[in-house]
Amino acid sequence: MDIKELLQNDLPKALPEYERRPQQEEMAVEVHKALREGEHLLVEAGTGVGKSLGYLIPAVLWSLENDERVVVATHTKNLQDQLLKKDIPVLRKLLAEKELAFSAVVVKGRSNYVCLRRLEVHKGTLGLDEKGVKQQTFLDDEMEEEKEQTLGLLKELEGPHDGQRDNFKTPVYRIWSQVCGEKDACLKGRCPWRQKCYINSIRIAASEANIILVNHALFFSDLAIRTGSEKTVLPTYGRVIIDEAHHIEDTACDNMAINVDYYRIKNFLLALTAGNGEVPLMIRSDEGYYEKFKEFNTKVDSALQKLSKEVDNFLGKEKTLRYKEAFFQNTEIIDVLERVMSTISTDNFARSLNLTDEGEAELETYVNRGMTLLQELKFLLDVKNPHTYVYWAEKPYGENGFVLKAAPVVVGSILKESLFSKVPTVLTSATLNTGGDFKYIANRIGIDSYRSKILDSPFNYKENCLLLVPQKALSPKHKQYYEYVVQMSKEILKVTRGNAFLLFTSYKAMNFCYDLLEDWLYNQGCTPFIQTPDIPSNIILEDFKEAPNPVLFGTNSFWEGVDVPGEKLSCVIVTKLPFSVPTRPIEEARVEVLQKNGINDFLQYSVPRACIRLKQGFGRLIRASTDRGVVAILDSRILTTGYGKYFLNSLPESARNRSLGALKRLFAS
């Protein structure tokens, strides 16, 4: 089937508002060729190209032609929802005209689905009978709220439902951790609810689908499992398409990391003695074992307190600190956990508890969970692989306890072995090339041989976008840099009358500037917003869209993945070139590897990484062909340093000026 003809002649019939985009047609042709010939392809598709249909159409056609599955992985839930609710229906309508049908399914991690076995256990703890009728009223408000949420969830499950958390109308925040699917709690083939299991259902649907939509986290977690013997989440697939691919290195690293914290250890012991399953119930009913596990709990608490104090002393006033050798000397926690595991993993323990088949399967999950915990804790305390892993300790914000982590320093070799040597993969993003080529991203993620394509945005940046680097621009090294940022922001926001994002690289700088600008903004008739950890970004964004003359102070998540077309966002102020924090353990370790290999870490790692981030921030401004406005970069280094050209050359070719007069003319026209 001719892809160009499909896009030019048939797509407008399925999508009446469709506007032809040559870049989209070119992308679809390139993707189809790569899928057909089994090549790796890297595609940068600028804003407005329509890359989702540019890869979905060839993916579906290739799947139908070859009777093989294609996995499409996205970084954000927003894009996943767009694919499922907007693009897939258009494609179904389009291909129906050709008498072609395909299936697509979204697969999420276990914790996104309700576990019917855990729900049944939870009902019993709340005094609900088999039909979900309340047997008593609790005086405790939280307990009563749990009961009401459980009843609401049960009522919804009486009708057609896929068991996904996002699709429950009933609030489930109080009960979800107790009723959701967990790998460690799954009884697999011995579960009495396996025929009705939502997770099994989605796996079956995925095995029969042409297109499987997943997020990066699930994809790379599944990829890590494939290197071992554990059953994978996803079925076999013939091709992979990764959108928002500039996140690959970090997401793969995160999902291959080892992470043990205070509460993971404590809750494992608590679950054995105070949980709701058959195993803890039988332990509590056996006086000898109950006393033994009470002693285990006491010793674990004591050992955790000692290890926590040791970590506190190591961290001092720091929240995060790297360690390179077996620094923590307290092995008491290992000794106690080994005693627990030697107790529950014996045949005699299972026999003496007189467990049912379901209980034996439950015990097996406890043993697997405990063994994994013990192995990972030993790995972290012994620093077993210091050459290829980076180790660090963290103090949770506002909490007691500790977190110990280890992550692979270089994921490229892992991805090369587990993915790129086995499955032809298409990687795409609006920000993938740096300095005009793909060498940086390919080297970081382990692709040796690939084709590449850069497709510019169809939007008219020269006419609609002003790139402003003020004449008064300072370097962040200047001692009054953020006072300058505040003053320059005032001058710019007076002209744009708000309708702006102010993008920061740290919460400290963001809060400092917000405190100095908040009252001024209100006096100018603007509505200020600030990103906070306790309010979801999507909620802030929706409020921003409704407010008069809004100004949003943001960091991290607001540099990318947010979409505000129209006049509500006609100004983006980049307060500082977005270099990563060099003291972060993973950043520090990556730099060390590069330096050891004689590579200029700044020019070949730090600058390209920051360049991709800047391009994402720049991309917040123009989201539609009618959008126009200004991107102001207040950091003088983009003009005064040799590497500044690298940033400038990577941005869309817009009008560039250093005068506020140019800004005034733009907004006066």
Side-chain angles (χ1 to χ4, degrees):
M1 185 175 294
D2 189 300
I3 292 235
K4 272 196 173 183
E5 183 180 330
L6 197 67
L7 284 160
Q8 290 176 8
N9 301 332
D10 298 307
L11 188 55
K13 299 173 187 175
L15 193 63
E17 66 273 21
Y18 176 74
E19 295 179 6
R20 186 189 172 197
R21 286 164 280 188
Q23 297 93 333
Q24 185 184 58
E25 296 168 13
E26 191 173 355
M27 178 177 181
V29 169
E30 291 289 340
V31 171
H32 195 227
K33 179 182 177 184
L35 297 177
R36 191 175 59 246
E37 298 183 5
E39 300 174 307
H40 297 314
L41 174 67
L42 277 62
V43 183
E44 176 169 295
T47 306
V49 165
K51 60 182 168 58
S52 53
L53 282 177
Y55 60 69
L56 274 178
I57 291 175
V60 169
L61 292 179
W62 183 88
S63 176
L64 292 172
E65 291 163 359
N66 295 275
D67 194 26
E68 286 198 64
R69 284 173 288 276
V70 177
V71 168
V72 176
T74 71
H75 182 66
T76 60
K77 182 178 179 295
N78 286 343
L79 180 53
Q80 197 177 62
D81 287 343
Q82 176 197 312
L83 295 178
L84 182 67
K85 297 174 182 178
K86 180 181 176 183
D87 298 317
I88 294 290
V90 168
L91 193 45
R92 282 203 173 102
K93 185 178 178 182
L94 171 67
L95 293 181
E97 297 292 326
K98 304 289 185 182
E99 298 185 349
L100 293 174
F102 70 95
S103 57
V105 61
V106 172
V107 178
K108 298 181 179 179
R110 284 177 168 273
S111 61
N112 290 280
Y113 303 91
V114 68
C115 171
L116 293 173
R117 185 185 71 82
R118 296 189 76 208
L119 176 60
E120 189 68 14
V121 171
H122 181 66
K123 278 168 55 179
T125 65
L126 291 178
L128 304 176
D129 66 14
E130 291 184 0
K131 295 182 179 180
V133 177
K134 290 192 287 186
Q135 300 297 303
Q136 58 180 315
T137 299
F138 288 97
L139 295 177
D140 186 291
D141 289 341
E142 289 188 9
M143 201 67 161
E144 197 62 40
E145 190 174 17
E146 279 194 29
K147 181 174 285 188
E148 294 304 323
Q149 290 189 7
T150 304
L151 289 170
L153 184 147
L154 288 167
K155 182 69 176 175
E156 289 192 54
L157 290 178
E158 290 176 2
H161 206 285
D162 61 3
Q164 278 193 54
R165 178 174 184 169
D166 288 346
N167 295 333
F168 283 107
K169 297 177 183 176
T170 301
V172 292
Y173 57 88
R174 285 234 178 260
I175 64 171
W176 192 252
S177 64
Q178 301 169 65
V179 302
C180 68
E182 289 183 343
K183 182 181 72 172
D184 292 335
C186 181
L187 305 188
K188 301 181 175 65
R190 287 187 280 185
C191 178
W193 294 89
R194 61 187 177 277
Q195 298 300 327
K196 296 181 178 180
C197 176
Y198 295 109
I199 296 170
N200 281 344
S201 296
I202 201 67
R203 277 182 165 168
I204 292 170
S207 69
E208 298 171 349
N210 298 101
I211 304 295
I212 302 173
L213 303 175
V214 299
N215 64 18
H216 287 186
L218 178 61
F219 178 74
F220 289 115
S221 295
D222 180 79
L223 203 63
I225 290 172
R226 288 174 188 271
T227 62
S229 58
E230 191 176 341
K231 185 177 179 181
T232 58
V233 178
L234 302 176
T236 57
Y237 43 82
R239 298 289 187 268
V240 173
I241 296 173
I242 302 179
D243 201 346
E244 301 174 304
H246 58 284
H247 284 291
I248 285 181
E249 182 179 15
D250 287 341
T251 310
C253 180
D254 289 344
N255 286 280
M256 294 173 185
I258 294 168
N259 185 337
V260 174
D261 63 40
Y262 179 98
Y263 291 102
R264 180 179 168 193
I265 300 170
K266 185 176 179 65
N267 290 341
F268 171 66
L269 266 292
L270 282 175
L272 272 170
T273 52
N276 299 322
E278 183 179 335
V279 171
L281 179 63
M282 297 306 291
I283 289 175
R284 291 196 297 269
S285 64
D286 184 301
E287 186 175 350
Y289 277 126
Y290 182 60
E291 291 301 320
K292 188 171 187 175
F293 276 88
K294 276 178 63 179
E295 181 184 351
F296 283 150
N297 270 296
T298 300
K299 289 185 175 180
V300 164
D301 282 345
S302 174
L304 281 173
Q305 291 299 325
K306 291 177 182 177
L307 182 55
S308 185
K309 186 174 182 180
E310 198 171 354
V311 174
D312 279 349
N313 290 337
F314 169 70
L315 288 171
K317 295 182 179 180
E318 301 293 331
K319 284 290 182 182
T320 302
L321 202 58
R322 182 182 175 192
Y323 59 96
K324 300 182 181 181
E325 55 188 21
F327 183 84
F328 304 109
Q329 302 303 311
N330 176 23
T331 59
E332 185 178 333
I333 188 67
I334 297 292
D335 296 337
V336 180
L337 286 176
E338 285 181 334
R339 287 181 59 195
V340 172
M341 295 314 301
S342 66
T343 300
I344 69 173
S345 58
T346 62
D347 292 338
N348 182 59
F349 180 73
R351 283 195 300 269
S352 59
L353 289 183
N354 196 27
L355 298 172
T356 64
D357 286 346
E358 184 179 338
E360 288 181 1
E362 183 185 309
L363 177 59
E364 188 178 317
T365 67
Y366 277 114
V367 172
N368 292 337
R369 178 179 168 187
M371 287 299 187
T372 300
L373 172 60
L374 187 57
Q375 289 167 4
E376 292 185 353
L377 185 58
K378 284 181 177 179
F379 184 93
L380 290 164
L381 292 178
D382 295 344
V383 190
K384 291 198 171 181
N385 208 341
H387 302 297
T388 55
Y389 273 75
V390 55
Y391 297 75
W392 71 96
E394 292 179 1
K395 186 73 175 176
Y397 181 75
E399 293 183 14
N400 294 319
F402 59 85
V403 181
L404 299 178
K405 292 185 178 181
V409 180
V410 179
V411 298
S413 56
I414 301 173
L415 292 178
K416 181 177 180 179
E417 174 64 26
S418 59
L419 176 61
F420 300 126
S421 66
K422 297 177 180 178
V423 185
T425 304
V426 174
L427 308 173
T428 185
S429 168
T431 56
L432 209 54
N433 94 85
T434 52
D437 61 48
F438 296 84
K439 291 178 182 177
Y440 167 76
I441 188 72
N443 178 62
R444 297 302 306 174
I445 64 177
I447 292 187
D448 294 330
S449 177
Y450 60 90
R451 286 194 303 108
S452 63
K453 195 73 178 177
I454 298 175
L455 299 168
D456 293 331
S457 170
F459 299 153
N460 190 343
Y461 280 88
K462 284 186 177 180
E463 293 291 331
N464 294 343
C465 177
L466 170 66
L467 175 60
L468 175 70
V469 183
Q471 291 175 339
K472 300 176 184 177
L474 296 180
S475 165
K477 294 180 181 180
H478 194 285
K479 62 181 180 180
Q480 292 184 314
Y481 182 72
Y482 285 107
E483 285 82 355
Y484 145 75
V485 167
V486 168
Q487 185 55 41
M488 187 54 63
S489 295
K490 287 181 178 180
E491 293 186 39
I492 294 169
L493 294 172
K494 277 181 184 177
V495 179
T496 67
R497 296 180 292 279
N499 303 315
F501 276 7
L502 270 70
L503 299 178
F504 295 82
T505 59
S506 74
Y507 277 94
K508 182 179 179 181
M510 179 181 71
N511 291 329
F512 175 85
C513 292
Y514 181 82
D515 288 343
L516 293 178
L517 282 167
E518 182 185 13
D519 290 343
W520 180 87
L521 286 168
Y522 277 121
N523 290 334
Q524 295 293 314
C526 298
T527 310
F529 296 90
I530 186 168
Q531 181 180 347
T532 57
D534 54 336
I535 302 177
S537 297
N538 64 307
I539 300 298
I540 299 174
L541 195 64
E542 290 307 310
D543 290 342
F544 176 92
K545 291 177 181 178
E546 297 298 322
N549 304 325
V551 177
L552 172 64
F553 293 68
T555 184
N556 300 329
S557 56
F558 283 101
W559 281 81
E560 62 178 288
V562 291
D563 197 359
V564 187
E567 293 183 359
K568 280 291 181 181
L569 184 58
S570 50
C571 173
V572 173
I573 298 176
V574 175
T575 59
K576 186 179 178 183
L577 294 179
F579 287 101
S580 298
V581 179
T583 55
R584 283 181 59 221
I586 189 65
E587 295 292 325
E588 187 180 86
R590 287 172 179 171
V591 165
E592 285 176 4
V593 169
L594 293 170
Q595 291 175 342
K596 186 177 179 181
N597 292 323
I599 296 171
N600 186 319
D601 58 278
F602 182 71
L603 292 179
Q604 296 192 42
Y605 175 70
S606 299
V607 170
R609 188 173 173 85
C611 177
I612 288 175
R613 189 73 164 157
L614 178 64
K615 288 168 67 178
Q616 284 288 338
F618 187 99
R620 294 317 92 213
L621 182 69
I622 305 294
R623 308 303 298 173
S625 59
T626 56
D627 285 356
R628 66 178 202 156
V630 59
V631 175
I633 299 176
L634 307 186
D635 188 336
S636 67
R637 292 177 297 177
I638 199 167
L639 295 180
T640 60
T641 63
Y643 61 81
K645 294 178 182 178
Y646 194 89
F647 285 94
L648 288 172
N649 292 340
S650 295
L651 296 175
E653 193 176 346
S654 52
R656 298 177 181 181
N657 208 299
R658 302 202 65 188
S659 168
L660 286 175
L663 175 66
K664 292 174 182 177
R665 288 191 294 274
L666 174 68
F667 280 82
S669 60

